[in-house]
Protein backbone atom coordinates (compact mmCIF):
# COMPACT_ATOMS: atom_id res chain seq x y z
CA UNK A 1 0.00 0.00 0.00
CA UNK A 2 1.31 3.45 -0.86
CA UNK A 3 0.36 6.90 0.40
CA UNK A 4 -1.06 9.42 -2.05
CA UNK A 5 -2.09 13.06 -1.85
CA UNK A 6 -4.95 12.68 -4.33
CA UNK A 7 -8.54 11.98 -3.31
CA UNK A 8 -10.31 8.60 -3.67
CA UNK A 9 -12.49 7.67 -6.58
CA UNK A 10 -16.30 7.73 -6.46
CA UNK A 11 -17.69 6.37 -9.69
CA UNK A 12 -20.39 4.36 -11.38
CA UNK A 13 -19.04 4.93 -14.86
CA UNK A 14 -15.26 4.33 -15.06
CA UNK A 15 -15.05 6.66 -18.04
CA UNK A 16 -16.21 9.60 -15.92
CA UNK A 17 -14.53 8.82 -12.61
CA UNK A 18 -14.64 11.73 -10.16
CA UNK A 19 -12.83 12.02 -6.82
CA UNK A 20 -14.84 11.61 -3.64
CA UNK A 21 -14.51 14.46 -1.16
CA UNK A 22 -12.88 13.32 2.07
CA UNK A 23 -11.58 14.82 5.29
CA UNK A 24 -8.40 12.82 5.52
CA UNK A 25 -5.04 14.24 6.51
CA UNK A 26 -3.37 11.12 5.17
CA UNK A 27 -4.75 8.71 2.57
CA UNK A 28 -3.55 5.21 1.72
CA UNK A 29 -4.73 3.08 -1.16
CA UNK A 30 -4.53 -0.69 -1.46
CA UNK A 31 -5.49 -3.65 -3.59
CA UNK A 32 -6.57 -3.44 -7.20
CA UNK A 33 -9.98 -3.66 -8.85
CA UNK A 34 -8.66 -4.68 -12.26
CA UNK A 35 -10.77 -6.13 -15.07
CA UNK A 36 -10.10 -3.08 -17.18
CA UNK A 37 -10.35 -0.57 -14.30
CA UNK A 38 -7.01 0.66 -12.95
CA UNK A 39 -8.24 1.77 -9.53
CA UNK A 40 -7.45 0.71 -5.94
CA UNK A 41 -9.78 -1.75 -4.25
CA UNK A 42 -9.96 0.25 -1.01
CA UNK A 43 -8.79 3.41 0.70
CA UNK A 44 -7.83 4.23 4.27
CA UNK A 45 -8.07 7.77 5.58
CA UNK A 46 -6.59 8.73 8.93
CA UNK A 47 -5.75 11.92 10.77
CA UNK A 48 -2.21 12.46 12.03
CA UNK A 49 -3.35 11.41 15.49
CA UNK A 50 -6.52 9.67 16.66
CA UNK A 51 -8.41 11.13 19.64
CA UNK A 52 -10.21 7.79 20.14
CA UNK A 53 -9.02 4.21 19.48
CA UNK A 54 -11.69 3.54 16.85
CA UNK A 55 -11.51 2.50 13.21
CA UNK A 56 -14.63 2.69 11.01
CA UNK A 57 -14.78 0.27 8.08
CA UNK A 58 -17.30 0.41 5.22
CA UNK A 59 -17.06 -2.78 3.11
CA UNK A 60 -20.25 -2.61 1.02
CA UNK A 61 -20.47 0.92 -0.43
CA UNK A 62 -17.95 0.61 -3.30
CA UNK A 63 -19.15 2.03 -6.61
CA UNK A 64 -16.18 1.62 -8.98
CA UNK A 65 -17.56 -0.87 -11.53
CA UNK A 66 -15.48 -2.21 -14.43
CA UNK A 67 -17.48 -1.87 -17.62
CA UNK A 68 -17.05 -5.58 -18.27
CA UNK A 69 -18.79 -6.34 -14.97
CA UNK A 70 -21.67 -3.97 -15.73
CA UNK A 71 -22.10 -5.60 -19.14
CA UNK A 72 -22.59 -8.98 -17.44
CA UNK A 73 -25.41 -7.76 -15.18
CA UNK A 74 -28.93 -8.62 -16.30
CA UNK A 75 -30.21 -5.34 -14.80
CA UNK A 76 -27.43 -2.91 -13.96
CA UNK A 77 -29.44 -0.28 -12.11
CA UNK A 78 -31.45 -2.69 -9.99
CA UNK A 79 -28.48 -4.88 -9.08
CA UNK A 80 -26.36 -1.91 -8.05
CA UNK A 81 -29.18 -0.46 -5.97
CA UNK A 82 -29.90 -3.74 -4.20
CA UNK A 83 -26.32 -4.87 -3.62
CA UNK A 84 -24.74 -1.61 -2.46
CA UNK A 85 -24.99 -0.16 1.02
CA UNK A 86 -25.87 2.92 -0.98
CA UNK A 87 -23.80 5.96 0.09
CA UNK A 88 -23.29 4.80 3.66
CA UNK A 89 -19.63 5.70 3.06
CA UNK A 90 -20.80 9.35 3.05
CA UNK A 91 -22.15 8.72 6.53
CA UNK A 92 -18.76 7.26 7.47
CA UNK A 93 -16.92 10.29 6.11
CA UNK A 94 -19.12 12.62 8.15
CA UNK A 95 -18.56 10.57 11.32
CA UNK A 96 -14.80 10.53 10.75
CA UNK A 97 -14.80 14.30 10.28
CA UNK A 98 -16.66 14.76 13.58
CA UNK A 99 -14.64 12.28 15.64
CA UNK A 100 -11.18 11.97 14.08
CA UNK A 101 -11.39 8.21 13.65
CA UNK A 102 -9.68 6.23 10.94
CA UNK A 103 -11.92 5.37 7.97
CA UNK A 104 -11.42 2.34 5.73
CA UNK A 105 -13.79 1.97 2.78
CA UNK A 106 -13.98 -0.31 -0.21
CA UNK A 107 -13.90 1.17 -3.69
CA UNK A 108 -14.51 -2.30 -5.16
CA UNK A 109 -18.27 -2.98 -5.32
CA UNK A 110 -19.88 -5.84 -3.46
CA UNK A 111 -20.95 -7.21 -6.85
CA UNK A 112 -17.32 -8.10 -7.57
CA UNK A 113 -16.62 -9.60 -4.19
CA UNK A 114 -18.23 -9.37 -0.76
CA UNK A 115 -15.66 -8.37 1.87
CA UNK A 116 -18.01 -9.54 4.63
CA UNK A 117 -17.73 -13.16 3.47
CA UNK A 118 -14.94 -15.70 3.82
CA UNK A 119 -12.87 -16.21 0.68
CA UNK A 120 -14.01 -19.86 0.78
CA UNK A 121 -17.73 -19.04 0.91
CA UNK A 122 -18.31 -19.61 -2.80
CA UNK A 123 -21.41 -20.76 -4.66
CA UNK A 124 -19.56 -23.10 -7.02
CA UNK A 125 -22.60 -23.40 -9.24
CA UNK A 126 -21.85 -19.94 -10.63
CA UNK A 127 -18.14 -20.57 -11.29
CA UNK A 128 -16.86 -21.74 -14.64
CA UNK A 129 -14.03 -24.19 -13.93
CA UNK A 130 -10.83 -24.35 -15.93
CA UNK A 131 -7.37 -22.86 -15.98
CA UNK A 132 -5.00 -22.71 -13.05
CA UNK A 133 -6.51 -22.99 -9.58
CA UNK A 134 -4.30 -20.70 -7.54
CA UNK A 135 -6.16 -19.55 -4.45
CA UNK A 136 -9.63 -20.91 -3.99
CA UNK A 137 -10.36 -24.52 -3.14
CA UNK A 138 -13.72 -26.15 -3.28
CA UNK A 139 -15.55 -26.01 0.05
CA UNK A 140 -19.13 -26.52 1.09
CA UNK A 141 -20.85 -23.14 0.72
CA UNK A 142 -22.72 -21.57 3.63
CA UNK A 143 -26.46 -21.05 3.65
CA UNK A 144 -25.90 -17.48 2.50
CA UNK A 145 -23.93 -18.64 -0.52
CA UNK A 146 -26.56 -21.25 -1.36
CA UNK A 147 -29.17 -18.47 -1.18
CA UNK A 148 -27.22 -16.39 -3.67
CA UNK A 149 -25.29 -14.01 -1.39
CA UNK A 150 -21.90 -15.63 -1.01
CA UNK A 151 -18.44 -14.29 -1.74
CA UNK A 152 -19.65 -13.20 -5.19
CA UNK A 153 -23.40 -12.55 -5.13
CA UNK A 154 -25.31 -14.75 -7.58
CA UNK A 155 -29.00 -13.90 -7.23
CA UNK A 156 -31.33 -11.41 -5.57
CA UNK A 157 -34.63 -12.21 -3.84
CA UNK A 158 -37.54 -11.35 -6.08
CA UNK A 159 -35.28 -10.86 -9.09
CA UNK A 160 -33.28 -14.02 -9.69
CA UNK A 161 -29.90 -14.46 -11.35
CA UNK A 162 -27.68 -11.37 -11.41
CA UNK A 163 -25.26 -12.48 -14.11
CA UNK A 164 -25.63 -13.36 -17.78
CA UNK A 165 -22.76 -15.89 -17.76
CA UNK A 166 -20.80 -17.97 -15.23
CA UNK A 167 -17.81 -16.40 -13.50
CA UNK A 168 -14.44 -17.70 -14.79
CA UNK A 169 -12.42 -19.44 -12.08
CA UNK A 170 -9.35 -17.33 -12.82
CA UNK A 171 -11.35 -14.12 -12.31
CA UNK A 172 -12.58 -15.35 -8.93
CA UNK A 173 -9.05 -16.23 -7.82
CA UNK A 174 -7.69 -12.87 -8.96
CA UNK A 175 -10.38 -10.95 -7.07
CA UNK A 176 -9.52 -12.84 -3.90
CA UNK A 177 -5.82 -12.03 -4.31
CA UNK A 178 -6.20 -8.36 -5.24
CA UNK A 179 -9.31 -7.29 -3.28
CA UNK A 180 -10.19 -9.63 -0.41
CA UNK A 181 -6.76 -10.60 0.86
CA UNK A 182 -5.16 -7.11 0.95
CA UNK A 183 -8.27 -5.51 2.50
CA UNK A 184 -8.34 -7.91 5.43
CA UNK A 185 -4.58 -7.94 5.88
CA UNK A 186 -4.56 -4.15 6.07
CA UNK A 187 -7.52 -4.04 8.46
CA UNK A 188 -5.84 -6.54 10.79
CA UNK A 189 -2.57 -4.59 10.82
CA UNK A 190 -4.28 -1.27 11.50
CA UNK A 191 -6.39 -2.63 14.35
CA UNK A 192 -3.30 -4.14 15.95
CA UNK A 193 -1.45 -0.83 15.58
CA UNK A 194 -4.30 1.03 17.31
CA UNK A 195 -4.42 -1.61 20.06
CA UNK A 196 -0.66 -1.41 20.56
CA UNK A 197 -0.86 2.37 20.86
CA UNK A 198 -3.93 2.60 23.11
CA UNK A 199 -4.04 -0.76 24.84
CA UNK A 200 -7.38 -1.50 23.14
CA UNK A 201 -9.05 -0.92 19.77
CA UNK A 202 -12.61 -0.87 18.46
CA UNK A 203 -13.71 -1.67 14.91
CA UNK A 204 -17.04 -0.22 13.81
CA UNK A 205 -18.16 -2.16 10.73
CA UNK A 206 -20.63 0.25 9.14
CA UNK A 207 -23.45 -0.98 6.90
CA UNK A 208 -26.87 0.10 5.74
CA UNK A 209 -30.02 -1.98 5.55
CA UNK A 210 -33.34 -1.78 3.70
CA UNK A 211 -36.30 -0.69 5.86
CA UNK A 212 -37.35 -3.41 8.28
CA UNK A 213 -40.86 -4.47 9.13
CA UNK A 214 -42.20 -3.52 12.52
CA UNK A 215 -41.87 -6.45 14.94
CA UNK A 216 -45.13 -5.56 16.65
CA UNK A 217 -48.27 -3.58 15.90
CA UNK A 218 -48.05 0.08 16.98
CA UNK A 219 -44.29 -0.18 17.33
CA UNK A 220 -41.73 1.38 15.00
CA UNK A 221 -39.33 -0.87 13.13
CA UNK A 222 -35.67 -0.59 14.14
CA UNK A 223 -33.75 2.14 12.34
CA UNK A 224 -30.41 1.00 13.76
CA UNK A 225 -29.22 -2.52 14.49
CA UNK A 226 -26.10 -3.12 16.57
CA UNK A 227 -24.44 -6.51 16.15
CA UNK A 228 -21.82 -8.11 18.38
CA UNK A 229 -22.11 -11.75 17.31
CA UNK A 230 -24.31 -12.37 20.37
CA UNK A 231 -21.62 -11.19 22.76
CA UNK A 232 -18.59 -12.75 21.08
CA UNK A 233 -17.06 -9.75 19.28
CA UNK A 234 -16.86 -7.04 21.95
CA UNK A 235 -17.12 -6.40 25.67
CA UNK A 236 -20.64 -6.27 27.07
CA UNK A 237 -19.93 -2.85 28.58
CA UNK A 238 -19.50 -1.43 25.07
CA UNK A 239 -22.94 -2.65 24.06
CA UNK A 240 -24.45 -1.40 27.30
CA UNK A 241 -22.92 2.05 26.81
CA UNK A 242 -24.14 2.13 23.21
CA UNK A 243 -27.74 1.46 24.17
CA UNK A 244 -27.65 3.93 27.06
CA UNK A 245 -26.68 6.55 24.53
CA UNK A 246 -29.28 5.42 21.99
CA UNK A 247 -32.05 5.48 24.59
CA UNK A 248 -31.77 9.28 24.53
CA UNK A 249 -31.91 9.53 20.72
CA UNK A 250 -34.99 9.78 18.46
CA UNK A 251 -34.15 6.56 16.64
CA UNK A 252 -35.37 3.04 17.32
CA UNK A 253 -32.67 0.42 17.73
CA UNK A 254 -32.26 -3.34 18.06
CA UNK A 255 -29.53 -5.73 19.17
CA UNK A 256 -28.29 -8.57 16.92
CA UNK A 257 -31.61 -9.14 15.18
CA UNK A 258 -31.84 -9.40 12.28
CA UNK A 259 -28.13 -8.53 11.85
CA UNK A 260 -25.59 -9.85 14.34
CA UNK A 261 -22.50 -9.19 12.20
CA UNK A 262 -20.66 -11.41 9.76
CA UNK A 263 -17.24 -12.50 8.59
CA UNK A 264 -15.55 -9.17 9.35
CA UNK A 265 -16.39 -9.49 13.04
CA UNK A 266 -15.61 -13.21 13.11
CA UNK A 267 -12.19 -12.63 11.59
CA UNK A 268 -11.03 -9.44 13.30
CA UNK A 269 -12.68 -9.30 16.71
CA UNK A 270 -10.48 -10.60 19.54
CA UNK A 271 -11.67 -9.08 22.83
CA UNK A 272 -9.22 -11.18 24.83
CA UNK A 273 -6.42 -9.45 22.91
CA UNK A 274 -7.93 -5.99 23.26
CA UNK A 275 -9.52 -5.81 19.80
CA UNK A 276 -13.28 -5.29 19.93
CA UNK A 277 -15.69 -5.08 16.99
CA UNK A 278 -19.30 -4.01 16.51
CA UNK A 279 -21.45 -3.92 13.39
CA UNK A 280 -23.82 -0.99 12.92
CA UNK A 281 -26.64 -1.21 10.39
CA UNK A 282 -28.36 2.07 9.47
CA UNK A 283 -31.76 2.07 7.78
CA UNK A 284 -31.38 3.59 4.31
CA UNK A 285 -34.61 5.52 4.69
CA UNK A 286 -32.89 7.65 7.34
CA UNK A 287 -30.48 9.26 4.88
CA UNK A 288 -31.67 8.41 1.32
CA UNK A 289 -34.65 9.55 -0.73
CA UNK A 290 -37.90 7.63 -1.18
CA UNK A 291 -36.32 5.47 -3.90
CA UNK A 292 -33.45 4.64 -1.51
CA UNK A 293 -31.13 5.89 -4.23
CA UNK A 294 -29.70 9.34 -3.43
CA UNK A 295 -28.64 11.07 -0.20
CA UNK A 296 -30.83 13.71 1.42
CA UNK A 297 -30.20 16.43 3.98
CA UNK A 298 -31.10 13.89 6.66
CA UNK A 299 -27.70 12.27 6.18
CA UNK A 300 -26.11 14.99 8.32
CA UNK A 301 -28.58 14.27 11.14
CA UNK A 302 -27.95 10.54 11.34
CA UNK A 303 -24.19 11.07 10.96
CA UNK A 304 -24.11 13.55 13.84
CA UNK A 305 -26.01 11.15 16.07
CA UNK A 306 -23.66 8.29 15.14
CA UNK A 307 -20.65 10.52 15.76
CA UNK A 308 -21.87 10.94 19.32
CA UNK A 309 -22.20 7.16 19.62
CA UNK A 310 -18.65 6.67 18.32
CA UNK A 311 -17.32 9.12 20.91
CA UNK A 312 -19.08 7.20 23.67
CA UNK A 313 -17.73 3.88 22.44
CA UNK A 314 -14.28 5.36 21.91
CA UNK A 315 -14.17 6.62 25.48
CA UNK A 316 -15.17 3.19 26.79
CA UNK A 317 -12.55 1.48 24.63
CA UNK A 318 -9.88 3.93 25.82
CA UNK A 319 -10.86 3.05 29.39
CA UNK A 320 -10.07 -0.60 28.62
CA UNK A 321 -6.63 0.46 27.43
CA UNK A 322 -5.99 2.51 30.57
CA UNK A 323 -6.96 -0.42 32.75
CA UNK A 324 -4.53 -2.64 30.83
CA UNK A 325 -1.72 -0.12 31.27
CA UNK A 326 -2.34 0.11 35.01
CA UNK A 327 -2.36 -3.66 35.35
CA UNK A 328 0.93 -3.96 33.49
CA UNK A 329 2.46 -1.19 35.62
CA UNK A 330 1.39 -3.03 38.78
CA UNK A 331 3.08 -6.18 37.58
Amino acid sequence: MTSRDSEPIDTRNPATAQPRKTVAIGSDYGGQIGEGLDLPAFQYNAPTSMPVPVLIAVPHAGRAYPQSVLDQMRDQELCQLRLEDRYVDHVGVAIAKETGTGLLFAEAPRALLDLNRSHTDVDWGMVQEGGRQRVSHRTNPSGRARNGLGLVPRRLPGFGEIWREPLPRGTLDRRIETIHRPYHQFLARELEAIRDSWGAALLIDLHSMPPLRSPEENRRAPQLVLGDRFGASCASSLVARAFRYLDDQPFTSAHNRPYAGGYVLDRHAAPSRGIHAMQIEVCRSQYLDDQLSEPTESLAIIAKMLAGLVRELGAETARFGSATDMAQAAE
Side-chain angles (χ1 to χ4, degrees):
M1 176 171 284
T2 58
S3 180
R4 302 184 184 180
D5 295 328
S6 58
E7 293 177 322
I9 301 300
D10 179 7
T11 178
R12 294 183 187 283
N13 181 355
T16 58
Q18 296 295 323
R20 177 188 301 156
K21 298 298 182 183
T22 69
V23 297
I25 292 175
S27 297
D28 283 338
Y29 295 75
Q32 189 71 22
I33 293 176
E35 299 178 50
L37 194 57
D38 185 20
L39 292 175
F42 59 89
Q43 178 175 328
Y44 180 64
N45 292 340
T48 53
S49 62
M50 288 184 181
V52 289
V54 178
L55 188 157
I56 299 172
V58 186
H60 284 168
R63 297 182 291 279
Y65 291 89
Q67 189 60 51
S68 59
V69 172
L70 292 174
D71 290 343
Q72 283 298 314
M73 286 182 173
R74 292 177 54 217
D75 187 324
Q76 294 181 16
E77 184 175 352
L78 176 66
C79 291
Q80 291 174 71
L81 186 66
R82 295 277 297 276
L83 287 173
E84 294 172 11
D85 283 358
R86 183 63 66 96
Y87 292 117
V88 79
D89 53 320
H90 289 201
V91 178
V93 166
I95 297 170
K97 183 176 181 179
E98 285 274 335
T99 62
T101 63
L103 176 65
L104 175 68
F105 53 86
E107 299 284 8
R110 184 184 184 188
L112 268 72
L113 183 140
D114 190 334
L115 291 165
N116 202 25
R117 300 287 186 270
S118 168
H119 72 281
T120 62
D121 196 10
V122 177
D123 179 353
W124 292 104
M126 68 178 294
V127 178
Q128 179 182 346
E129 296 285 2
R132 295 178 60 193
Q133 298 184 3
R134 299 182 298 277
V135 179
S136 302
H137 301 283
R138 276 189 176 277
T139 56
N140 293 325
S142 69
R144 289 193 180 195
R146 290 193 297 271
N147 288 331
L149 291 175
L151 180 65
V152 178
R154 177 177 182 173
R155 64 176 69 91
L156 292 171
F159 173 72
E161 295 286 328
I162 295 170
W163 308 105
R164 298 179 186 278
E165 297 177 354
L167 178 70
R169 176 63 179 266
T171 300
L172 171 65
D173 289 345
R174 189 205 59 78
R175 291 179 186 176
I176 293 171
E177 281 296 310
T178 64
I179 300 174
H180 194 279
R181 192 180 301 278
Y183 178 90
H184 286 288
Q185 287 177 341
F186 179 81
L187 180 53
R189 287 196 302 269
E190 191 63 24
L191 287 170
E192 289 177 359
I194 296 170
R195 188 272 319 276
D196 292 347
S197 177
W198 284 81
L202 173 64
L203 167 65
I204 299 291
D205 202 42
L206 184 62
H207 296 255
S208 71
M209 61 185 181
L212 300 174
R213 293 182 179 179
S214 176
E216 298 176 10
E217 189 176 354
N218 299 323
R219 183 178 174 187
R220 288 195 300 168
Q223 297 158 320
L224 298 167
V225 178
L226 274 54
D228 66 348
R229 301 302 285 162
F230 298 98
S233 69
C234 70
S236 60
S237 62
L238 279 168
V239 176
R241 186 156 183 172
F243 281 104
R244 283 198 301 271
Y245 172 83
L246 292 173
D247 283 344
D248 294 328
Q249 306 302 317
F251 298 91
T252 54
S253 57
H255 185 204
N256 283 323
R257 300 187 187 280
Y259 303 107
Y263 174 75
V264 170
L265 268 58
D266 289 341
R267 174 162 176 169
H268 295 286
S272 64
R273 295 193 293 108
I275 299 177
H276 303 262
M278 182 184 297
Q279 179 174 289
I280 297 180
E281 294 271 2
V282 183
C283 182
R284 292 170 196 158
S285 67
Q286 296 305 300
Y287 67 94
L288 296 177
D289 60 20
D290 291 342
Q291 288 71 45
L292 304 180
S293 177
E294 298 298 326
T296 67
E297 294 179 356
S298 297
L299 188 148
I301 298 173
I302 192 78
K304 188 174 183 63
M305 185 278 294
L306 289 172
L309 175 61
V310 167
R311 289 193 192 94
E312 291 285 322
L313 295 176
E316 183 73 8
T317 306
R319 187 179 66 81
F320 297 158
S322 298
T324 300
D325 290 343
M326 288 189 289
Q328 291 174 343
E331 293 174 356

